[in-house]
Amino acid sequence: MTSASTRASALARCVRVIAGFDLAVTGCLAIPPFAHVFIQMLFAGDAALDLGSLRVEFHPLHWLFVNLAGVFGVLWSVVRLRTPTAELALLDVGGRLAVAALILHATAAEGMTPLLHVFVASELVGAVAQYWVVRRAWPVTTE
């Protein structure tokens, strides 16, 4: 049987790895020039694969919300990097499921590129991984 400290360590490691990944992606969205490159790469990938998805022109208000989402993502990532607890992991699981649902809505109902399904997959992998380690580590019982 695994010790409580080993399970807690695995939980912290999992939360930090996923938070680090999130920090890299949302960090790109938080910085205006990088957000422009990121979105243009997404549109270029859609065009290269001839997916024919809706390509919209972003206006300043769109960019503001892209950047705000990036800033909030960075803040949430930093919180989880500094304090990788079971409670924050479970909150992140819920957030990931909500984000996955929003992306699926955007691709199905709004005509956005199916390339976004890569992000749905990453959200679901992050949710399952964190839920799995929380189930193993929490509540920690005294052995």
Side-chain angles (χ1 to χ4, degrees):
M1 176 153 273
T2 311
S3 73
S5 64
T6 302
R7 290 191 310 266
S9 176
L11 169 74
R13 189 170 41 258
C14 178
V15 171
R16 283 189 174 121
V17 165
I18 292 168
F21 173 79
D22 291 346
L23 182 60
V25 174
T26 59
C28 290
L29 298 176
I31 302 168
F34 294 151
H36 286 263
V37 170
F38 185 88
I39 298 297
Q40 293 308 315
M41 286 175 50
L42 194 60
F43 286 138
D46 184 90
L49 293 172
D50 198 27
L51 297 174
S53 302
L54 177 65
R55 182 179 174 119
V56 297
E57 185 66 33
F58 278 37
H59 298 284
L61 184 61
H62 298 120
W63 289 115
L64 172 64
F65 279 100
V66 167
N67 299 140
L68 287 174
V71 168
F72 288 129
V74 166
L75 291 173
W76 178 240
S77 297
V78 169
V79 166
R80 290 179 294 129
L81 283 167
R82 292 181 49 100
T83 314
T85 64
E87 292 85 356
L88 292 181
L90 289 176
L91 287 169
D92 194 58
V93 167
R96 286 179 176 285
L97 295 175
V99 167
L102 288 170
I103 293 171
L104 289 172
H105 171 73
T107 59
E110 304 296 330
M112 294 303 299
T113 178
L115 283 178
L116 293 173
H117 292 162
V118 171
F119 295 102
V120 172
S122 73
E123 295 297 331
L124 295 177
V125 166
V128 169
Q130 288 180 109
Y131 183 75
W132 185 76
V133 297
V134 168
R135 289 277 306 183
R136 289 183 46 93
W138 189 58
V140 176
T141 57
T142 309
E143 294 180 16

